[in-house]
Amino acid sequence: MPTDTTRRSLLETVAEQARHAGVFARVAVQEAGLVCHAADAAAHAEYRLGWENGRLWVSLVTPDRWLSESIEADLMHTGDDVEELLEEELVEQGLEASRPVVEHFRSDDRLFTFRSPVSPEDADTAARWLLAYEACFRALGDMQAGTDENHQRT
């Protein structure tokens, strides 16, 4: 299991790559992990990278049920499979094609969450997963509604 110093170093490296990509509104390394705010979502949404139970996860979280449902509805109406869409984005990021796992649930802290385990746990791979997540979900639901339409519903 990586040490706190190793974890912090990985997150700082990924944060720099996320800032350089220019696709997030804000990027910050916090106590719980890396938090990247979605740039144009219709409601507050964050892409996160952090450890849970000794495993590194990348996720998209929002407190807004409506935003989560807009993503689900888009997938349902198009017939797209989120794992397949993510796999395509991972390949675009230069990672070998393998069917990713995407969990979708409402967390104990009432956040609607899409998440996937990241392996191996190195900064380059983690950054590619984070950018693939952003590219995958940016095109779904109201993740690109624009800042003019931002609202808060919880």
Side-chain angles (χ1 to χ4, degrees), residues 117-139:
V118 176
S119 183
E121 294 182 6
D122 64 80
D124 183 59
T125 301
R128 291 172 191 241
W129 270 86
L130 179 67
L131 294 173
Y133 242 68
E134 189 280 333
C136 175
F137 284 97
R138 175 185 344 127

Side-chain angles (χ1 to χ4, degrees), residues 71 74-76 78-92 98-100 102 132-133 135-141:
I71 294 168
D74 204 11
L75 291 167
M76 186 180 73
T78 63
D80 289 331
D81 179 50
V82 71
E83 288 88 356
E84 196 172 294
L85 295 174
L86 178 58
E87 182 178 18
E88 290 172 9
E89 295 301 338
L90 290 166
V91 169
E92 286 292 317
S98 64
R99 187 71 168 196
V102 178
Y133 242 68
C136 175
F137 284 97
R138 175 185 344 127
L140 296 173

